[in-house]
Amino acid sequence: MRLHNANPLDHSPLPTAPSLLVHTQSFIDDIKNREVSIMRILKIASLETCPIVFTPINNIEVNAVLEDFNLDIASYYLQSNYYIVKCNYIEARFSDETDPIFLQNFEKERGYSLNDSMLMNSGYFHYHISRTAPRSINIHRSLDILQVYHVKNRIFKAYTDFEIGQFLYDIISTNRQIPNYKTLFIAFNNLRAAFSEDGETIENLLQSLNDRMMLMNKSVMELKYQSLKTVTNNASSDIMYHLSYFVILVTSSFDNMAWIINYMYKLDFSLFDKTKNKVKLQNVYSPQNKPNDDYYKSLAQKAPVIHAFLLTNEISCFIDFIYPLRDSIQHRSFIKPLTLGGKGKSDKLLIWFPNDVRKTLEERGFLAENYGFQKETSEQMNRDYYDIYIFSKKVHQEVVELVNTVCGMIDLAVSLKISPEEQQKISNGIASFYSDPFVGLKVQEAMIY
């Protein structure tokens, strides 16, 4: 059955599994080198939860890797005056071009075979993944599509051949993203006595950070889903809802980190008195001037490594630029959607952001386009519009990296001046945690979407 341009993500629940054709020739070196993204594709394909077919290739090393995963590899057969494709997913006629000279010249000019091209455009697959063929999707977008399909349908299968539920999936996904957080949490529990007055507060802050990161994963998943399915006006309110929650989770995670640092390094601010208004990671300042607020002054004295990291141009800019958007959502003009399309068909959903977002990025030397800023549309509308798929992925990636990095920089051995024996106790606790089959490294590596 030809699928034409049907989008399998347009219905909820999602009844149609997405079918993908992988242009193997585009990923020869990736497969040989077992690059992370292509290995995720291979592992997901081996689960057989949705059709993923690989075009044939005459390369012994690549075929050996594909066969190790027992994947669905297509074959082309010349029958009479046409070619047929045969694989587990389909057996169908797909090309009437059989002139060997024409086929040879096509591949020489384009860098890929006509048969591959004809199959990718045959309409038998929802998506084709290629680096060279036109109208392809890249491998990262394909992984997002596969993740949305599996999560929305609550299919949580691990590569090690067992299934888990939503609860463990959420835990394992978060642990995998921020491993330094879990190490910090274990270290704190082993040294809790040293924080006798603030122990409960610190534990609540640590748990709150973990919860925020877990909920952030869920909000980003919904934004991916809304962005990857066919755009309609019906999606506007859903996008606004999930994006607003996402932005609030990002800034509250920054606030959460500021308080964790405060109590672990004893910066002498408190959630329970008037000093609470001075604790913040946000520090808008001119690149020519050093910050002078009380929180960063204390941080420079007691945690100089973290202080230096947070005030690098890249990190401080990232922290600062998201707050105007949060303030707009909570206190001023709300974000607004814009549906773009032509000839009665919508193809893109953008969101209006306050100009402060772009200005903060550009003043600090960063391209707003990297965060999804749509220059042409913004100039036409005289307002700043962003592609939410790009924005949410970029911001989420940077939040995860920031939280994981800062958690790794918090050194309780230094801040508490603990003995070597106590340090060994912490190391033993961390090793014990990662040996647990449900949260250990092997299970985290087995989770592939």
Side-chain angles (χ1 to χ4, degrees), residues 106-133:
F106 182 95
E107 184 164 5
K108 184 177 180 180
E109 293 174 3
R110 308 290 180 88
Y112 53 91
S113 74
L114 177 63
N115 277 343
D116 285 354
S117 178
M118 295 294 285
L119 182 59
M120 284 187 278
N121 291 283
S122 64
Y124 291 115
F125 297 87
H126 291 112
Y127 310 97
H128 57 270
I129 311 168
S130 174
R131 285 203 175 102
T132 54

Side-chain angles (χ1 to χ4, degrees), residues 65 89 139 143 146 151 169 198 217 242 354 383 425 428:
V65 175
Y89 175 56
I139 195 166
L143 285 168
L146 291 168
V151 173
Y169 171 79
D198 301 315
N217 285 337
H242 293 296
R383 277 184 168 183
K425 181 181 178 182
N428 293 340

Side-chain angles (χ1 to χ4, degrees), residues 152-343:
K152 294 293 284 186
N153 281 286
R154 300 185 179 277
I155 303 171
F156 301 110
K157 296 183 69 174
Y159 177 58
T160 50
D161 201 27
F162 65 88
E163 295 190 25
I164 61 175
Q166 175 88 52
F167 178 72
L168 274 180
Y169 171 79
D170 290 339
I171 291 175
I172 293 171
S173 296
T174 307
N175 284 341
R176 182 174 59 182
Q177 290 171 330
I178 48 173
N180 290 339
Y181 162 83
K182 188 57 66 175
T183 300
L184 176 62
F185 189 84
I186 297 167
F188 163 73
N189 278 311
N190 279 278
L191 296 169
R192 189 185 180 104
F195 299 96
S196 55
E197 293 183 3
D198 301 315
E200 184 177 355
T201 299
I202 296 174
E203 183 176 10
N204 288 336
L205 287 167
L206 285 169
Q207 187 58 57
S208 295
L209 178 63
N210 186 74
D211 291 343
R212 285 186 170 95
M213 299 304 291
M214 188 181 299
L215 292 173
M216 200 181 299
N217 285 337
K218 289 178 174 290
S219 64
V220 169
M221 179 63 60
E222 290 298 330
L223 289 170
K224 285 181 184 179
Y225 171 53
Q226 297 295 339
S227 301
L228 291 170
K229 70 181 192 178
T230 303
V231 172
T232 67
N233 287 323
N234 295 332
S236 298
S237 59
D238 289 330
I239 285 279
M240 292 168 67
Y241 173 83
H242 293 296
L243 177 63
S244 301
Y245 189 41
F246 170 67
V247 170
I248 291 170
L249 285 170
V250 170
T251 54
S252 63
S253 295
F254 292 160
D255 296 339
N256 210 150
M257 283 299 310
W259 280 109
I260 289 171
I261 294 168
N262 169 71
Y263 280 107
M264 287 192 163
Y265 281 94
K266 301 181 179 180
L267 303 185
D268 299 327
F269 301 96
S270 174
L271 280 164
F272 310 105
D273 61 35
K274 62 182 180 180
T275 63
K276 65 182 179 182
N277 295 324
K278 296 184 177 182
V279 175
K280 59 180 180 178
L281 291 192
Q282 182 192 18
N283 192 68
V284 179
Y285 72 103
S286 167
Q288 287 77 33
N289 299 321
K290 294 183 178 181
N292 56 9
D293 63 271
D294 294 338
Y295 180 80
Y296 272 92
K297 279 184 177 180
S298 185
L299 185 64
Q301 294 175 356
K302 297 186 178 180
V305 175
I306 297 176
H307 175 269
F309 172 74
L310 293 175
L311 290 185
T312 58
N313 186 54
E314 182 178 1
I315 299 303
S316 62
C317 175
F318 174 66
I319 292 172
D320 288 347
F321 96 89
I322 200 76
Y323 276 90
L325 184 54
R326 191 280 307 269
D327 294 341
S328 179
I329 289 171
Q330 290 189 317
H331 307 299
R332 301 194 298 272
S333 299
F334 205 75
I335 55 178
K336 296 177 177 64
L338 174 67
T339 305
L340 296 180
K343 298 182 180 179

